Amino acid sequence: MGSDDAAILIGVSQYRDPSLLDVPAARNSLHAMHRLLTSPELCGWSEDQVHILEDPAGATDLALEVHRLAEQTTGTLLIYFVGHGVVSRSGALCLTAGDTQLRYPDLTGLEYDKVRSALLDSPAQVKLVILDCCYSGRIIQGLAGAGESQLVDSTDIRGVYTLTAADQVAHVPSHGESAGTSFTQALCDVVRSGIPGAPPALALTDIYPKLKSTLKAHGFPEPNQRGTDTVESYPFSRNVAYAGGSGFRLLPQEHVDRFLRILAAQPRHDLTADRIGELEDWPGVYLLHRESGDASEILYAAMGDRSIAARLGQHLRKISGRCHIDVRDLSFSYLKLDDDLGVVAPDRLVLQHLHAQGRSPRWNNSGFGNKDAGRMRDSHRRSSDHFDVLHPIDLSWRVRFDDPSLGVSAQQMAAQLRAQLPYTFRIEPRDTELDQVRLTFPDGSLSADQAFRLLAYAMGDAWQISALVGQVLMYREQDKRYPDAIRYYAGTRTITEMPEVCKAAGLPDDF
């Protein structure tokens, strides 16, 4: 996938309204779709292209986040939703959020027309919508009566393919905590098994007949689809059941094998700023290695489509500010390339090769390459093998301030912290109170922890600084709890916690 692609995965499994039952299967389906998309052997999306919005509380914030991401996407835009779908009195499909009320879905839910608006406003060239909820098929089939033409038109957008789970009530298995919804589970199974006789790359229109027959054979609701323009032929996944054919290969296998041999033979270099600074600004593919005694492990394989040096510099900065890893144990190797990397996708070739050898790099698809995905993902619970969980941010990182004895505003202090910390420090969008509060502190460096304590004390109890395993937040909020937080700062109070996921990962109590 290109760097201008985005997949927005929305899953709602918990509801405040007792009339809407919790759906644990929705959470499982959300994570299953994430694994499917980021599998290098199948769909090949990178972690930083996939935005998981799990259990969003309010429909308004959800709509704003969908619009924001859609407006920034110029390549491929994929929107997936799993959760309750309800129909309003006017006949409109409403996607639910955590605080949606069944009695007022049009006021408290996300009407599909708002998703349609985001699709219309997005400059993306390819737009895919997958809805796993009750009544989702009605946006294609329409409802009987006066509202039918309006509902049919809700999917009539140029360059959009829509796949829906059910015209009426969708099916959710009643057994097993790890079970997903029947529709998403069947979709994942079809893609992972491949389709014999189909092309080497599967479009959703190739997948649809097999998906429909599979669901029908089990007595589940049948899906529905609608596509416009040539988006129907967009390659959604590699066909693992493809046995080869007589068609033309853009990259002959002997060229691929030679590329892999040459890459494997490249020398390793210490992951240091000096060594990275010696590299030319050139695109290519690179590997991160870790040495442990006599053993060596490939941790990460990726490409720099503009500059290998720039990507390595970003990785070095990120790793330097993490716990339980020593950058001195890491090295890198690389190979400069002259090809159009978006066409050749050398990183996928490397990942497929390593996976076939049972050597899948542990940092790929673990969140290592992720960028700050925004406020909506702050409450997302990470898995026990996520990079941020295994290597939390280092709150002992040292920072220095310009002329601290002269005093600075809270806004200036926060800005200097953001510039020096090797992890994200996100603050409330420009708030005048940050300019009005002033601080003074001793000369010399401070740890990030000491700086946050000073800043929290100055801002008072109305503000809260929350240190999560992967980033730090500063918002005008009180007693807000995040599932992946390791420390909170509010006024004079500092609270240290050990997230359950960190305990499950076997991390020591000290960060």
Side-chain angles (χ1 to χ4, degrees):
M1 310 304 300
S3 57
D4 297 321
D5 304 328
I8 307 171
L9 308 185
I10 308 165
V12 188
S13 60
Q14 297 179 327
Y15 297 89
R16 297 179 184 174
D17 186 349
S19 301
L20 290 169
L21 298 179
D22 289 350
V23 190
R27 178 177 60 252
N28 299 330
S29 287
L30 176 70
H31 296 165
M33 181 60 71
H34 173 238
R35 291 191 297 270
L36 183 77
L37 290 182
T38 56
S39 169
E41 295 77 34
L42 297 171
C43 299
W45 292 73
S46 65
E47 280 283 344
D48 60 351
Q49 295 170 329
V50 181
H51 306 267
I52 300 178
L53 309 181
E54 184 171 357
D55 286 325
T60 299
D61 287 344
L62 175 59
L64 289 171
E65 186 70 0
V66 170
H67 270 266
R68 181 185 72 84
L69 292 169
E71 289 173 351
Q72 296 174 353
T73 305
T74 58
T76 298
L77 172 65
L78 187 154
I79 299 177
Y80 166 84
F81 174 85
V82 59
H84 282 302
V86 296
V87 177
S88 69
R89 292 180 181 178
S90 65
L93 172 66
C94 297
L95 309 180
T96 54
D99 60 4
T100 295
Q101 299 178 36
L102 184 59
R103 188 177 179 183
Y104 305 107
D106 52 338
L107 300 177
T108 58
L110 176 61
E111 290 183 308
Y112 184 76
D113 194 53
K114 291 185 173 65
V115 178
R116 183 178 186 273
S117 175
L119 293 167
L120 284 169
D121 293 341
S122 173
Q125 298 300 301
V126 174
K127 302 167 187 177
L128 309 173
V129 179
I130 302 175
L131 301 179
D132 185 357
C133 62
C134 297
Y135 311 114
S136 55
R138 295 192 175 198
I139 63 171
I140 295 175
Q141 293 290 2
L143 293 172
E148 179 172 350
S149 60
Q150 177 184 355
L151 287 166
V152 170
D153 286 343
S154 66
T155 58
D156 188 17
I157 309 171
R158 184 175 181 180
V160 174
Y161 174 88
T162 306
L163 177 63
T164 62
D167 295 345
Q168 298 295 326
V169 178
H171 183 266
V172 177
S174 58
H175 59 278
E177 286 296 319
S178 62
T181 57
S182 299
F183 171 82
T184 294
Q185 187 61 56
L187 174 61
C188 292
D189 288 345
V190 169
V191 173
R192 292 190 180 282
S193 300
I195 303 176
L202 295 174
L204 284 170
T205 47
D206 298 317
I207 296 168
Y208 179 77
K210 180 66 174 177
L211 173 64
K212 184 174 182 178
S213 64
T214 299
L215 290 168
K216 184 176 181 180
H218 287 87
F220 298 150
E222 296 182 23
N224 220 320
Q225 68 170 347
R226 178 186 176 97
T228 61
D229 297 334
T230 59
V231 70
E232 294 181 346
S233 60
Y234 171 80
F236 179 76
S237 171
R238 186 172 73 90
N239 184 9
V240 296
Y242 180 69
S246 57
F248 177 78
R249 289 182 62 92
L250 185 63
L251 290 175
Q253 190 60 47
E254 58 267 24
H255 289 189
V256 174
D257 293 341
R258 183 167 179 265
F259 157 68
L260 294 171
R261 288 196 303 270
I262 293 175
L263 176 62
Q266 297 307 300
R268 299 181 190 178
H269 312 275
D270 292 337
L271 188 64
T272 64
D274 289 342
R275 187 64 191 89
I276 294 172
E278 296 171 2
L279 301 180
E280 299 177 34
D281 240 359
W282 203 270
V285 64
Y286 62 91
L287 307 174
L288 289 182
H289 308 263
R290 176 163 58 186
E291 313 298 332
S292 179
D294 296 331
S296 177
E297 176 187 11
I298 296 176
L299 291 174
Y300 191 67
M303 69 178 183
D305 53 0
R306 293 182 176 87
S307 169
I308 300 172
R311 290 294 302 274
L312 288 171
Q314 294 168 2
H315 297 333
L316 173 60
R317 179 175 173 80
K318 182 170 188 174
I319 294 167
S320 298
R322 299 297 177 130
C323 300
H324 316 312
I325 187 168
D326 192 336
V327 72
R328 291 172 294 184
D329 295 332
L330 304 183
S331 60
F332 70 92
S333 59
Y334 69 97
L335 186 63
K336 295 192 297 183
L337 297 173
D338 290 326
D339 298 274
D340 183 342
L341 303 193
V343 174
V344 177
D347 54 334
R348 290 189 62 181
L349 297 175
V350 174
L351 288 169
Q352 289 169 9
H353 174 68
L354 292 172
H355 179 76
Q357 295 182 325
R359 301 166 58 206
S360 296
R362 67 174 61 194
W363 285 0
N364 283 93
N365 304 319
S366 74
F368 172 68
N370 283 6
K371 299 176 182 177
D372 182 11
R375 181 72 164 150
M376 288 291 293
R377 289 191 71 177
D378 294 341
S379 296
H380 172 60
R381 189 183 301 277
R382 288 163 174 76
S383 60
S384 59
D385 60 350
H386 195 282
F387 177 83
D388 290 341
V389 172
L390 297 176
H391 305 290
I393 59 174
D394 182 5
L395 293 175
S396 67
W397 183 269
R398 308 301 294 184
V399 292
R400 300 188 68 89
F401 297 93
D402 299 332
D403 297 324
S405 59
L406 299 179
V408 295
S409 69
Q411 186 72 254
Q412 292 170 320
M413 181 180 184
Q416 292 188 50
L417 275 170
R418 293 180 70 177
Q420 295 185 58
L421 291 173
Y423 38 82
T424 297
F425 177 34
R426 181 159 19 93
I427 62 175
E428 187 91 27
R430 190 76 182 181
D431 192 293
T432 56
E433 187 178 351
L434 291 169
D435 292 312
Q436 297 167 0
V437 174
R438 300 196 66 81
L439 303 88
T440 58
F441 33 88
D443 290 335
S445 66
L446 298 174
S447 69
D449 176 72
Q450 291 171 323
F452 291 139
R453 289 172 190 262
L454 285 171
L455 190 53
Y457 178 77
M459 297 306 300
D461 291 333
W463 287 74
Q464 177 175 297
I465 300 175
S466 306
L468 313 187
V469 289
Q471 60 188 352
V472 180
L473 320 172
M474 179 177 170
Y475 282 91
R476 188 192 290 274
E477 58 189 11
Q478 294 177 295
D479 298 322
K480 170 75 172 180
R481 290 297 176 258
Y482 298 91
D484 293 335
I486 56 179
R487 191 164 294 166
Y488 297 102
Y489 307 85
T492 59
R493 295 177 295 128
T494 301
I495 304 171
T496 300
E497 294 191 348
M498 179 70 162
E500 290 299 323
V501 69
C502 293
K503 295 178 184 177
L507 295 187
D509 292 335
D510 61 310
F511 288 97

